[in-house]
Every structure is written in structure tokens, then in C-alpha cells.
Amino acid sequence: MPAVPEPSAPSAGDLELAADQAIAACGGDPREAVKALIVANGFLEAQVEELRASVSAGYSRPVRPPARSQGRLRCPR
């Protein structure tokens, strides 16, 4: 199981609907919609960096299989 899920591509219809909603939210001005999306993207990138910095190294380092024991097993006395 991968540590990070792979994003799925939205369908063409979903993209068209999202674009129409963004333009409508900006009063029908596509240039203003693009500017608003750029600002929103910058905000999300800043959040990702903040979260990345706050994650413990124990959660972000790769998982390694346990080392094999070399030699004979010893019984405790």
C-alpha cells in the first residue's frame, strides 16, 4: 500500500463545471477567476509546506524491513 494515495484525474465534465463555478463566483469575469485561483493555490501550497515542516521525521522516513539476525540464536540464562 503506497504511503501517499495517487490522485485521480477529474473528468472533463467536472472541470467544465468547476471552471463555470469559479467564473460565476467572480461575477462572470474569467480574468478575476484566474487571479482568485492563483491566490487560492498559493494559500494551499503554504499550508502544505507548514504541514510538511510539522510532521515528525518518524512518520515521514521510509519503512525498512527488520534486520536479519546473523549467527546462532542465544538462549537467555
Side-chain angles (χ1 to χ4, degrees):
M1 180 176 188
V4 177
E6 292 185 29
S8 59
S11 70
D14 290 342
L15 287 175
E16 290 295 324
L17 179 61
D20 290 341
Q21 289 174 342
I23 293 169
C26 292
D29 185 351
R31 186 173 177 81
E32 289 300 315
V34 169
K35 291 187 327 188
L37 292 172
I38 290 170
V39 169
N41 191 51
F43 174 76
L44 292 173
E45 287 177 350
Q47 277 190 321
V48 166
E49 288 306 314
E50 186 177 315
L51 290 171
R52 196 174 278 150
S54 68
V55 170
S56 167
Y59 287 107
S60 61
R61 69 174 177 243
V63 178
R64 295 183 182 153
R68 291 186 179 177
S69 121
Q70 296 183 8
R72 293 186 267 173
L73 293 175
R74 296 181 186 171
C75 297
R77 294 183 188 194

